[in-house]
Amino acid sequence: MENKENETTATETLTETYGASEYKYGFTTPVEMEAFTRGLSEDTIRALSEKKEEPPFLLDFRLKAYRKWLTMKEPEWAHVNYPPIDYQNIAYFVKPKQKPQLAGLDEVDPEILKTFERLGIPLDEQKKLANVAVDAVFDSVSVATTHKKKLLEHGVIFCSISEAVREYPELIEEYLGSVVPIGDNFYAALNSAVFTDGSFVFIPPGTRCPMELSTYFRINTEESGQFERTLIVCSEDSYVSYLEGCTAPKFDTNQLHAAVVELVTLDNAEIKYSTVQNWYSGDPETGKGGIYNFVTKRGLCKGRNSKISWTQVETGSSITWKYPSCVLQGDGSIGEFYSVALVNGHMQADTGTKMIHLGRDTKSRIISKGISADHGSNAYRGLVRIGKNAAGARNFSQCDSMLVGAQSSAHTFPYLEAANDEAVIEHEASTSKISEDQLFYLESRGISREESVSMILNGFCREVFQQLPMEFAVEAQKLLTLKLENSVG
Amino acid sequence: MTTPLLQITNLRAGLAGPPPVEILKGISLTIHPGEVHAIMGPNGSGKSTLSKVAAGHPDYTVTGGDVVFMGESLLGMEPDARARKGLFLGFQYPVEIPGVSNAEFLRIAGNARRRERGEEELDPFDFQELLDQHMKNLDMDARFKERGVNEGFSGGEKKRNEILQMAVLDPALAILDETDSGLDVDALKIVSKGINALRRPDNAVLLITHYQRLLDYVQPDFVHILMNGKILKSGDKSLALEVETRGYDWLVA
Ligand SMILES: Nc1ncnc2c1ncn2[C@@H]1O[C@H](COP(=O)(O)OP(=O)(O)OP(=O)(O)O)[C@@H](O)[C@H]1O
Ligand SMILES: [Mg+2]
């Protein structure tokens, strides 16, 4: 039995996490790190794979990806601007110095445990979150996963991807790269070559995962890149809700975060994947520093009537480039994308989704809410593709933008490719500003100006927040309020 | 005499411009606790402007005079502080706040007022009870709780929602700007009943209306005629009847 008294609820700790308007996760942890010298070559990759004692198929996978990457060019079409990244000046593998395989939490560097505790993610048995299992990733490596045993009793596998490579190589070999092929895009190829850790989830047939699963990513080292890899497989008639959270210290330089997330649902399975992203977004005045968040997230609805739902609340990073997508292969499968993207200071976001309808009677729904404040630039890019066999396919897209202040901007780029004329596609878009009359209305009821602004913005995002697990919806609202505190006069 | 709840003296206000426009051209008005006042006047005479200046709308600049509420000048006080102090404005055109649940909005507003009065805040459960009671009195369907504030409400529903807010906030002075416009006959009765139910010896109501009919239900002690930014005439209830039959022209002649 767990000690209930000492368990902290998700709400309490997350309130802590988001409890200040200044970026409060901007600290670094003084632990001894083991880093590869910077730079990337086949030798670095071989060394990495050897260090991690990986099976030959994985080394092969990495080398293929690397060779592919060498032939690819960095995308330039995203609606963002940044100086070129020097890929030879990144440390590709940074991990805390500790034994390669941890027997338990007591072997994790106490400084790291403290870090996660400060971030509101206590990991030790006494204080861990009661209703959420957490996989904590520190720079390149997963340092701890909570509730692992309890989950295994239900047949649910939740562990770091490195552990999965050792323990469940056949699952990894079957599914890794099956949704995002190694040569999919520049960043995905790079990730496939050098990914170091991340989370793996497997839900057996007929199982409803008994608790929320979540991964918490923390970048700590200044010159490191984080290339994590997440793979979630939901077997027939199963369900899981998964949440991802992120922070990083304040550095003047930029850190690269190039993750790949792959989701697979078999017949009648459902994955609900939520992200609350609050990476350090750079200095609000000068725009210096911050995370480059270039992420490939894709779900494959492989089985009939399966469903993948992406919900994201993006409030951090200096540059975000991310399009969580769904490939609706199984007949009757459903893809959903709910997004709130907030940019302020000098942040740039280019985000959106792709819905690829392949099966018959497939449905997709896109709700995107963009908020731009200060000098922020927000672009929504959405692709809806209907394959020729996707008779009866339906899509509904709604993209709303809210501008706060005169210097912010919003752009919407919908792309539509329909090869089957029986498909029904609806698209709605709007751009608005908070009106002085709305503010006055709320103020005249005794609500302060700041709270009025946050009420209006949260109202604007309601449809998206409703999709988040309850505790996190409350926190997402607070986060939004805090992030905007200095942007609204 | 008791001390006035609201004392407006020689108030001049308008748009800062450029060009500057004076809309209120020297208005004086005193309201004591327990009283009901009514302001009537032609379209564009400045009735809504007067109410919004009192509530602190940022569009308007005060160029002269004072507005003293419960012994304290409102000028220089933020709109939210005025509201928490007990001033309520029922809007002629209530705005929609999409996605913000009406019940949640009412609870936050109600609690802000309670805090100010040193009363304990209500948790969502206790507040629900209170809200349900008020909604029952106003014959409002429960679904208006979860809908966005005024979002997609009909004209009459919005007005009824204003009175619901008044009930929750329990103000010392309620200025109701054309709350009766757009209400059907039955709704007018219900809303009037709601207003009357909230009357106490220590609070007051200022009704802005074009119609004598409302004044049959909520009997005013004083009626003022506002024309071209000035109060041209004040009287008792019979003045409203006179306006109803004769219009406003005779006042300027
Ligand atoms: N924000 C504003 N900008 C420009 N003009 C304004 C503004 N507010 C008020 N006015 C003008 O001031 C005058 C008074 O307007 P107000 O709304 O107070 O009239 P009212 O007496 O309430 O009229 P009604 O009976 O039609 O509601 C009108 O001519 C109006 O156009
Ligand atoms: Mg008016």
PDB file of all heavy atoms in Angstrom, chain A residues 405-430:
ATOM      1  N   GLY A 405      -2.329  43.359 -28.286  1.00  0.00           N
ATOM      2  CA  GLY A 405      -1.316  44.363 -28.607  1.00  0.00           C
ATOM      3  C   GLY A 405      -1.150  44.481 -30.108  1.00  0.00           C
ATOM      4  O   GLY A 405      -1.507  43.588 -30.870  1.00  0.00           O
ATOM      5  N   ALA A 406      -0.554  45.603 -30.534  1.00  0.00           N
ATOM      6  CA  ALA A 406      -0.548  45.940 -31.953  1.00  0.00           C
ATOM      7  C   ALA A 406       0.618  45.315 -32.706  1.00  0.00           C
ATOM      8  O   ALA A 406       0.597  45.251 -33.926  1.00  0.00           O
ATOM      9  CB  ALA A 406      -0.518  47.456 -32.110  1.00  0.00           C
ATOM     10  N   GLN A 407       1.667  44.840 -31.991  1.00  0.00           N
ATOM     11  CA  GLN A 407       2.846  44.387 -32.714  1.00  0.00           C
ATOM     12  C   GLN A 407       2.887  42.890 -32.963  1.00  0.00           C
ATOM     13  O   GLN A 407       3.818  42.372 -33.549  1.00  0.00           O
ATOM     14  CB  GLN A 407       4.103  44.814 -31.962  1.00  0.00           C
ATOM     15  CG  GLN A 407       4.480  46.239 -32.316  1.00  0.00           C
ATOM     16  CD  GLN A 407       5.248  46.905 -31.199  1.00  0.00           C
ATOM     17  OE1 GLN A 407       4.994  46.644 -30.019  1.00  0.00           O
ATOM     18  NE2 GLN A 407       6.184  47.737 -31.559  1.00  0.00           N
ATOM     19  N   SER A 408       1.877  42.197 -32.472  1.00  0.00           N
ATOM     20  CA  SER A 408       1.871  40.755 -32.638  1.00  0.00           C
ATOM     21  C   SER A 408       1.245  40.402 -33.980  1.00  0.00           C
ATOM     22  O   SER A 408       0.597  41.230 -34.617  1.00  0.00           O
ATOM     23  CB  SER A 408       1.061  40.128 -31.512  1.00  0.00           C
ATOM     24  OG  SER A 408      -0.238  40.644 -31.529  1.00  0.00           O
ATOM     25  N   SER A 409       1.466  39.165 -34.402  1.00  0.00           N
ATOM     26  CA  SER A 409       0.879  38.780 -35.676  1.00  0.00           C
ATOM     27  C   SER A 409       0.411  37.330 -35.667  1.00  0.00           C
ATOM     28  O   SER A 409       0.876  36.523 -34.872  1.00  0.00           O
ATOM     29  CB  SER A 409       1.885  38.992 -36.809  1.00  0.00           C
ATOM     30  OG  SER A 409       3.025  38.195 -36.586  1.00  0.00           O
ATOM     31  N   ALA A 410      -0.515  37.036 -36.558  1.00  0.00           N
ATOM     32  CA  ALA A 410      -1.041  35.682 -36.694  1.00  0.00           C
ATOM     33  C   ALA A 410      -1.221  35.374 -38.171  1.00  0.00           C
ATOM     34  O   ALA A 410      -1.575  36.256 -38.955  1.00  0.00           O
ATOM     35  CB  ALA A 410      -2.383  35.567 -35.976  1.00  0.00           C
ATOM     36  N   HIS A 411      -0.904  34.152 -38.549  1.00  0.00           N
ATOM     37  CA  HIS A 411      -1.021  33.748 -39.945  1.00  0.00           C
ATOM     38  C   HIS A 411      -1.675  32.375 -39.996  1.00  0.00           C
ATOM     39  O   HIS A 411      -1.353  31.526 -39.176  1.00  0.00           O
ATOM     40  CB  HIS A 411       0.353  33.662 -40.608  1.00  0.00           C
ATOM     41  CG  HIS A 411       1.248  34.815 -40.262  1.00  0.00           C
ATOM     42  ND1 HIS A 411       1.313  35.946 -41.035  1.00  0.00           N
ATOM     43  CD2 HIS A 411       2.061  35.015 -39.205  1.00  0.00           C
ATOM     44  CE1 HIS A 411       2.153  36.809 -40.466  1.00  0.00           C
ATOM     45  NE2 HIS A 411       2.629  36.269 -39.355  1.00  0.00           N
ATOM     46  N   THR A 412      -2.554  32.170 -40.941  1.00  0.00           N
ATOM     47  CA  THR A 412      -3.194  30.866 -41.069  1.00  0.00           C
ATOM     48  C   THR A 412      -2.968  30.331 -42.480  1.00  0.00           C
ATOM     49  O   THR A 412      -3.208  31.034 -43.456  1.00  0.00           O
ATOM     50  CB  THR A 412      -4.707  30.979 -40.795  1.00  0.00           C
ATOM     51  OG1 THR A 412      -4.861  31.510 -39.481  1.00  0.00           O
ATOM     52  CG2 THR A 412      -5.380  29.628 -40.842  1.00  0.00           C
ATOM     53  N   PHE A 413      -2.448  29.107 -42.552  1.00  0.00           N
ATOM     54  CA  PHE A 413      -2.189  28.498 -43.860  1.00  0.00           C
ATOM     55  C   PHE A 413      -2.893  27.138 -43.952  1.00  0.00           C
ATOM     56  O   PHE A 413      -2.311  26.129 -43.570  1.00  0.00           O
ATOM     57  CB  PHE A 413      -0.685  28.248 -44.066  1.00  0.00           C
ATOM     58  CG  PHE A 413       0.185  29.458 -43.861  1.00  0.00           C
ATOM     59  CD1 PHE A 413       0.842  29.646 -42.660  1.00  0.00           C
ATOM     60  CD2 PHE A 413       0.374  30.383 -44.879  1.00  0.00           C
ATOM     61  CE1 PHE A 413       1.676  30.753 -42.467  1.00  0.00           C
ATOM     62  CE2 PHE A 413       1.197  31.495 -44.697  1.00  0.00           C
ATOM     63  CZ  PHE A 413       1.851  31.674 -43.479  1.00  0.00           C
ATOM     64  N   PRO A 414      -4.125  27.102 -44.393  1.00  0.00           N
ATOM     65  CA  PRO A 414      -4.781  25.796 -44.545  1.00  0.00           C
ATOM     66  C   PRO A 414      -4.422  25.173 -45.909  1.00  0.00           C
ATOM     67  O   PRO A 414      -4.376  25.876 -46.913  1.00  0.00           O
ATOM     68  CB  PRO A 414      -6.268  26.142 -44.482  1.00  0.00           C
ATOM     69  CG  PRO A 414      -6.376  27.597 -44.798  1.00  0.00           C
ATOM     70  CD  PRO A 414      -5.012  28.225 -44.720  1.00  0.00           C
ATOM     71  N   TYR A 415      -4.094  23.892 -45.884  1.00  0.00           N
ATOM     72  CA  TYR A 415      -3.833  23.189 -47.140  1.00  0.00           C
ATOM     73  C   TYR A 415      -4.840  22.052 -47.270  1.00  0.00           C
ATOM     74  O   TYR A 415      -5.107  21.359 -46.293  1.00  0.00           O
ATOM     75  CB  TYR A 415      -2.434  22.579 -47.167  1.00  0.00           C
ATOM     76  CG  TYR A 415      -1.318  23.562 -46.945  1.00  0.00           C
ATOM     77  CD1 TYR A 415      -0.889  23.862 -45.658  1.00  0.00           C
ATOM     78  CD2 TYR A 415      -0.688  24.184 -48.021  1.00  0.00           C
ATOM     79  CE1 TYR A 415       0.143  24.772 -45.445  1.00  0.00           C
ATOM     80  CE2 TYR A 415       0.341  25.092 -47.817  1.00  0.00           C
ATOM     81  CZ  TYR A 415       0.757  25.386 -46.524  1.00  0.00           C
ATOM     82  OH  TYR A 415       1.772  26.267 -46.321  1.00  0.00           O
ATOM     83  N   LEU A 416      -5.342  21.866 -48.452  1.00  0.00           N
ATOM     84  CA  LEU A 416      -6.375  20.877 -48.640  1.00  0.00           C
ATOM     85  C   LEU A 416      -6.064  20.051 -49.870  1.00  0.00           C
ATOM     86  O   LEU A 416      -5.802  20.613 -50.928  1.00  0.00           O
ATOM     87  CB  LEU A 416      -7.690  21.618 -48.857  1.00  0.00           C
ATOM     88  CG  LEU A 416      -8.902  20.788 -48.630  1.00  0.00           C
ATOM     89  CD1 LEU A 416      -9.176  20.762 -47.134  1.00  0.00           C
ATOM     90  CD2 LEU A 416     -10.073  21.402 -49.360  1.00  0.00           C
ATOM     91  N   GLU A 417      -6.063  18.724 -49.716  1.00  0.00           N
ATOM     92  CA  GLU A 417      -5.841  17.878 -50.885  1.00  0.00           C
ATOM     93  C   GLU A 417      -6.877  16.773 -50.847  1.00  0.00           C
ATOM     94  O   GLU A 417      -6.787  15.893 -50.001  1.00  0.00           O
ATOM     95  CB  GLU A 417      -4.428  17.261 -50.844  1.00  0.00           C
ATOM     96  CG  GLU A 417      -3.317  18.299 -50.916  1.00  0.00           C
ATOM     97  CD  GLU A 417      -1.958  17.716 -50.552  1.00  0.00           C
ATOM     98  OE1 GLU A 417      -1.830  16.471 -50.456  1.00  0.00           O
ATOM     99  OE2 GLU A 417      -1.025  18.515 -50.337  1.00  0.00           O
ATOM    100  N   ALA A 418      -7.859  16.833 -51.715  1.00  0.00           N
ATOM    101  CA  ALA A 418      -8.910  15.822 -51.683  1.00  0.00           C
ATOM    102  C   ALA A 418      -8.912  15.022 -52.984  1.00  0.00           C
ATOM    103  O   ALA A 418      -9.116  15.569 -54.064  1.00  0.00           O
ATOM    104  CB  ALA A 418     -10.264  16.475 -51.458  1.00  0.00           C
ATOM    105  N   ALA A 419      -8.649  13.713 -52.859  1.00  0.00           N
ATOM    106  CA  ALA A 419      -8.658  12.852 -54.034  1.00  0.00           C
ATOM    107  C   ALA A 419      -9.956  12.050 -54.098  1.00  0.00           C
ATOM    108  O   ALA A 419     -10.112  11.172 -54.928  1.00  0.00           O
ATOM    109  CB  ALA A 419      -7.452  11.915 -54.003  1.00  0.00           C
ATOM    110  N   ASN A 420     -10.862  12.320 -53.176  1.00  0.00           N
ATOM    111  CA  ASN A 420     -12.135  11.617 -53.213  1.00  0.00           C
ATOM    112  C   ASN A 420     -13.223  12.664 -53.034  1.00  0.00           C
ATOM    113  O   ASN A 420     -13.292  13.344 -52.021  1.00  0.00           O
ATOM    114  CB  ASN A 420     -12.190  10.588 -52.069  1.00  0.00           C
ATOM    115  CG  ASN A 420     -13.439   9.738 -52.154  1.00  0.00           C
ATOM    116  OD1 ASN A 420     -14.551  10.267 -52.220  1.00  0.00           O
ATOM    117  ND2 ASN A 420     -13.266   8.433 -52.164  1.00  0.00           N
ATOM    118  N   ASP A 421     -14.094  12.792 -54.046  1.00  0.00           N
ATOM    119  CA  ASP A 421     -15.022  13.921 -53.983  1.00  0.00           C
ATOM    120  C   ASP A 421     -16.252  13.651 -53.134  1.00  0.00           C
ATOM    121  O   ASP A 421     -17.148  14.465 -53.039  1.00  0.00           O
ATOM    122  CB  ASP A 421     -15.378  14.435 -55.394  1.00  0.00           C
ATOM    123  CG  ASP A 421     -15.665  13.298 -56.338  1.00  0.00           C
ATOM    124  OD1 ASP A 421     -15.918  12.183 -55.831  1.00  0.00           O
ATOM    125  OD2 ASP A 421     -15.633  13.514 -57.571  1.00  0.00           O
ATOM    126  N   GLU A 422     -16.286  12.493 -52.486  1.00  0.00           N
ATOM    127  CA  GLU A 422     -17.397  12.236 -51.561  1.00  0.00           C
ATOM    128  C   GLU A 422     -17.103  12.791 -50.172  1.00  0.00           C
ATOM    129  O   GLU A 422     -17.922  12.727 -49.270  1.00  0.00           O
ATOM    130  CB  GLU A 422     -17.626  10.727 -51.410  1.00  0.00           C
ATOM    131  CG  GLU A 422     -18.559  10.146 -52.452  1.00  0.00           C
ATOM    132  CD  GLU A 422     -18.717   8.664 -52.190  1.00  0.00           C
ATOM    133  OE1 GLU A 422     -19.291   8.318 -51.137  1.00  0.00           O
ATOM    134  OE2 GLU A 422     -18.233   7.869 -53.010  1.00  0.00           O
ATOM    135  N   ALA A 423     -15.875  13.261 -49.994  1.00  0.00           N
ATOM    136  CA  ALA A 423     -15.477  13.728 -48.671  1.00  0.00           C
ATOM    137  C   ALA A 423     -16.150  15.061 -48.339  1.00  0.00           C
ATOM    138  O   ALA A 423     -16.456  15.853 -49.228  1.00  0.00           O
ATOM    139  CB  ALA A 423     -13.963  13.891 -48.615  1.00  0.00           C
ATOM    140  N   VAL A 424     -16.383  15.289 -47.054  1.00  0.00           N
ATOM    141  CA  VAL A 424     -16.972  16.550 -46.609  1.00  0.00           C
ATOM    142  C   VAL A 424     -15.942  17.291 -45.768  1.00  0.00           C
ATOM    143  O   VAL A 424     -15.466  16.775 -44.763  1.00  0.00           O
ATOM    144  CB  VAL A 424     -18.237  16.301 -45.752  1.00  0.00           C
ATOM    145  CG1 VAL A 424     -18.848  17.638 -45.326  1.00  0.00           C
ATOM    146  CG2 VAL A 424     -19.235  15.457 -46.522  1.00  0.00           C
ATOM    147  N   ILE A 425     -15.598  18.467 -46.205  1.00  0.00           N
ATOM    148  CA  ILE A 425     -14.568  19.222 -45.500  1.00  0.00           C
ATOM    149  C   ILE A 425     -15.089  20.608 -45.163  1.00  0.00           C
ATOM    150  O   ILE A 425     -15.606  21.314 -46.028  1.00  0.00           O
ATOM    151  CB  ILE A 425     -13.302  19.348 -46.370  1.00  0.00           C
ATOM    152  CG1 ILE A 425     -12.723  17.951 -46.609  1.00  0.00           C
ATOM    153  CG2 ILE A 425     -12.270  20.234 -45.692  1.00  0.00           C
ATOM    154  CD1 ILE A 425     -11.720  17.893 -47.708  1.00  0.00           C
ATOM    155  N   GLU A 426     -14.992  20.962 -43.885  1.00  0.00           N
ATOM    156  CA  GLU A 426     -15.440  22.285 -43.467  1.00  0.00           C
ATOM    157  C   GLU A 426     -14.299  23.022 -42.814  1.00  0.00           C
ATOM    158  O   GLU A 426     -13.562  22.449 -42.019  1.00  0.00           O
ATOM    159  CB  GLU A 426     -16.561  22.165 -42.431  1.00  0.00           C
ATOM    160  CG  GLU A 426     -17.855  21.619 -42.955  1.00  0.00           C
ATOM    161  CD  GLU A 426     -18.788  21.343 -41.787  1.00  0.00           C
ATOM    162  OE1 GLU A 426     -19.374  22.296 -41.255  1.00  0.00           O
ATOM    163  OE2 GLU A 426     -18.881  20.164 -41.397  1.00  0.00           O
ATOM    164  N   HIS A 427     -14.145  24.281 -43.133  1.00  0.00           N
ATOM    165  CA  HIS A 427     -13.083  25.064 -42.521  1.00  0.00           C
ATOM    166  C   HIS A 427     -13.624  26.411 -42.068  1.00  0.00           C
ATOM    167  O   HIS A 427     -14.279  27.113 -42.827  1.00  0.00           O
ATOM    168  CB  HIS A 427     -11.940  25.276 -43.516  1.00  0.00           C
ATOM    169  CG  HIS A 427     -10.800  26.056 -42.949  1.00  0.00           C
ATOM    170  ND1 HIS A 427      -9.757  25.457 -42.292  1.00  0.00           N
ATOM    171  CD2 HIS A 427     -10.552  27.386 -42.923  1.00  0.00           C
ATOM    172  CE1 HIS A 427      -8.909  26.399 -41.885  1.00  0.00           C
ATOM    173  NE2 HIS A 427      -9.364  27.566 -42.263  1.00  0.00           N
ATOM    174  N   GLU A 428     -13.347  26.761 -40.811  1.00  0.00           N
ATOM    175  CA  GLU A 428     -13.743  28.074 -40.307  1.00  0.00           C
ATOM    176  C   GLU A 428     -12.523  28.758 -39.720  1.00  0.00           C
ATOM    177  O   GLU A 428     -11.679  28.101 -39.129  1.00  0.00           O
ATOM    178  CB  GLU A 428     -14.795  27.932 -39.200  1.00  0.00           C
ATOM    179  CG  GLU A 428     -16.140  27.476 -39.711  1.00  0.00           C
ATOM    180  CD  GLU A 428     -17.132  27.222 -38.577  1.00  0.00           C
ATOM    181  OE1 GLU A 428     -16.825  27.575 -37.421  1.00  0.00           O
ATOM    182  OE2 GLU A 428     -18.192  26.660 -38.874  1.00  0.00           O
ATOM    183  N   ALA A 429     -12.434  30.054 -39.881  1.00  0.00           N
ATOM    184  CA  ALA A 429     -11.291  30.771 -39.315  1.00  0.00           C
ATOM    185  C   ALA A 429     -11.724  32.153 -38.852  1.00  0.00           C
ATOM    186  O   ALA A 429     -12.657  32.739 -39.402  1.00  0.00           O
ATOM    187  CB  ALA A 429     -10.183  30.908 -40.349  1.00  0.00           C
ATOM    188  N   SER A 430     -11.075  32.654 -37.819  1.00  0.00           N
ATOM    189  CA  SER A 430     -11.393  33.998 -37.347  1.00  0.00           C
ATOM    190  C   SER A 430     -10.171  34.627 -36.710  1.00  0.00           C
ATOM    191  O   SER A 430      -9.281  33.937 -36.223  1.00  0.00           O
ATOM    192  CB  SER A 430     -12.526  33.957 -36.321  1.00  0.00           C
ATOM    193  OG  SER A 430     -12.029  33.502 -35.074  1.00  0.00           O
TER     194      SER A 430
END
